[in-house]
Amino acid sequence: MTRRDTYVCGIDAAIDVVGGKWKVLILWALDAGPRRFGELRRDIPGVTEKVLTSHLRELENDGIVSREETYEGAVRRVAYTLTPLGVSLNEALDPLGEWGRKHLLGPGRSS
């Protein structure tokens, strides 16, 4: 899973994996359960197909997301799920999300 040879600290390493806006939103969407590509596109407004594809590949290479192909006759279905490592990363991000809800979203907003 190592992306670079050296990191300054654990935060540096974690940010290297989830860096940017979209990866955290992908993790958030997958926290609800397996999602197909089209579902993820709908769950994450504004993400382009190219960026979503790229980030899913990176998260898969890092062991955060797994990709499962199934076939129903001639139709291929691909679903993405969090791996145990991805679940633990989401658990680590929960306090950050709570901080954002408390300090930036204001009362009554849950997203």
Side-chain angles (χ1 to χ4, degrees):
M1 183 175 121
T2 303
R3 301 173 108 220
R4 295 191 328 223
D5 290 334
T6 60
Y7 291 103
V8 174
C9 64
I11 294 290
D12 184 25
I15 294 300
D16 193 33
V17 174
V18 297
K21 173 182 180 178
W22 302 114
K23 286 184 182 177
V24 174
L25 295 178
I26 292 167
L27 293 173
W28 175 78
L30 290 174
D31 195 49
R35 293 284 185 272
R36 293 180 47 208
F37 186 86
E39 293 172 313
L40 287 170
R41 284 269 329 261
R42 286 187 294 279
D43 289 346
I44 307 168
V47 69
T48 65
E49 189 171 317
K50 179 180 177 181
V51 168
L52 182 56
T53 299
S54 171
H55 285 342
L56 284 167
R57 282 188 189 134
E58 290 174 15
L59 289 167
E60 185 180 7
N61 288 337
D62 288 336
I64 305 297
V65 168
S66 67
R67 179 181 187 272
E68 183 179 326
E69 287 186 36
T70 58
Y71 290 88
E72 295 175 15
V75 178
R76 180 179 69 146
R77 305 240 186 246
V78 177
Y80 296 91
T81 60
L82 292 175
T83 64
L85 190 61
V87 170
S88 71
L89 180 55
N90 257 1
E91 290 169 354
L93 291 170
D94 276 344
L96 184 60
E98 183 58 36
W99 184 92
R101 281 187 290 279
K102 182 178 179 182
H103 296 287
L104 301 177
L105 289 180
R109 303 229 4 228
S110 61
S111 295

